[in-house]
Amino acid sequence: LMRVQSALIWNISPLMSSAQPPVMYTTSLWSLPFESGAPVRLLQAQERALLRDLRSAIDKRIENKIASARRFAVRARNHAKMVDCYLTTYYNHKSLFGNKKQISDQIIEHPQNYHIYEGLS
């Protein structure tokens, strides 16, 4: 049983996107009692580990949602900063008689000439 499990993990690991090997639980989810000669202690320990990890995954679900919301907020803040830099640059370079479309196109096409990215940092 352990050799089969090790070989399976060895062959599946390269297919996974994680650097860590996958966790494999050897359990019997059958409601009947174990047969004689079955590795009862191993199966029961693996079942307890599976239930513990399921409980942990449920508890971490909220933490993952908070982390996702934080990442979204950071991206929205960075976007707002970028829009603010573009608008500030546009208002500083437009003139009363100048071509506003041409100025905005120049800022969009060549932001390095207007130091847009320096304003973001």
Side-chain angles (χ1 to χ4, degrees):
L1 180 64
M2 297 306 286
R3 271 190 261 142
V4 169
Q5 184 178 12
S6 297
L8 187 58
I9 288 174
W10 181 263
N11 290 319
I12 288 177
S13 291
L15 304 175
M16 306 297 277
S17 61
S18 174
Q20 296 179 346
V23 177
M24 183 177 288
Y25 301 98
T26 306
T27 64
S28 174
L29 302 175
W30 218 8
S31 61
L32 300 176
F34 295 111
E35 294 181 7
S36 62
V40 176
R41 287 190 331 189
L42 171 69
L43 294 173
Q44 289 174 342
Q46 289 285 306
E47 185 177 348
R48 283 192 302 274
L50 171 65
L51 293 174
R52 183 187 63 237
D53 288 348
L54 282 174
R55 235 178 280 117
S56 173
I58 290 170
D59 292 342
K60 289 181 181 178
R61 183 179 67 193
I62 295 296
E63 294 171 14
N64 290 339
K65 285 186 178 184
I66 291 171
S68 177
R70 185 180 184 285
R71 281 191 304 272
F72 179 77
V74 167
R75 289 177 63 195
R77 182 195 65 200
N78 290 342
H79 180 75
K81 283 183 177 181
M82 185 178 287
V83 169
D84 184 56
C85 284
Y86 273 101
L87 287 175
T88 302
T89 303
Y90 172 75
Y91 289 130
N92 288 340
H93 287 86
K94 76 172 188 167
S95 63
L96 189 57
F97 300 109
N99 187 348
K100 295 175 185 173
K101 174 75 172 137
Q102 184 181 10
I103 292 171
S104 64
D105 288 344
Q106 283 292 329
I107 293 171
I108 291 170
E109 291 174 11
H110 305 288
Q112 67 277 5
N113 295 344
Y114 296 92
H115 308 290
I116 296 285
Y117 300 120
E118 293 170 11
L120 290 174
S121 61

